[in-house]
Amino acid sequence: MTIEEDLIKEIKPIIDDGNLTALQIAWEEYSEHTDFGRELAWDYIFQKVYLHAALKKQHAICEWLDSIFLEFNPMLQIAMRQMFSYARYLLRK
C-alpha cells in the first residue's frame, strides 16, 4: 500500500463522521510533513477524498475542498476538472 493510500484510509473515517474540523487539522498536518521520503501525489489524494465526501453527501467538506483545489497548480486543476461534474452528481443523488 502506498503512502497516499494510507492517508486516504485515515481520512475516510473522518469524512464518514462529517467532521470538517478534524479533516482540516489532518490535512494541514499531512501537508506539512516532509519526511515521507518523496513528493506525495496530492492530486490523487484530493480526488479520492473529494469523491468520498461527495458519495457520503458531505456538502460542507466538499465546499472546503473546493478552496483547497485552488491551491493546486493550473495544470493539475485542468487535469482534475472532470471530477467535479461526477462529484456534483453524487451530491445530488
Side-chain angles (χ1 to χ4, degrees):
M1 189 174 285
T2 66
I3 297 169
E4 288 85 357
E5 290 167 341
D6 287 340
L7 292 179
I8 293 165
K9 187 176 179 182
E10 290 178 23
I11 291 172
K12 280 185 175 183
I14 297 171
I15 292 170
D16 293 343
D17 292 340
N19 193 339
L20 176 58
T21 304
L23 177 61
Q24 290 169 328
I25 292 167
W27 193 273
E28 186 175 326
E29 287 177 2
Y30 296 144
S31 63
E32 289 177 355
H33 277 34
T34 56
D35 59 349
F36 292 117
R38 64 175 174 81
E39 184 69 29
L40 296 181
W42 285 106
D43 55 327
Y44 175 78
I45 296 168
F46 178 87
Q47 182 179 17
K48 296 296 183 184
V49 167
Y50 197 100
L51 290 175
H52 186 72
L55 182 65
K56 298 297 181 176
K57 309 288 190 261
Q58 298 293 342
H59 293 269
I61 290 174
C62 287
E63 288 175 14
W64 177 74
L65 288 170
D66 287 341
S67 69
I68 298 296
F69 176 75
L70 299 174
E71 297 175 10
F72 287 102
N73 73 51
M75 292 300 288
L76 285 177
Q77 288 181 4
I78 291 168
M80 291 190 294
R81 267 193 318 212
Q82 79 284 352
M83 171 201 63
F84 289 102
S85 60
Y86 181 56
R88 300 296 183 240
Y89 166 77
L90 290 174
L91 283 167
R92 286 189 306 261
K93 186 175 168 190

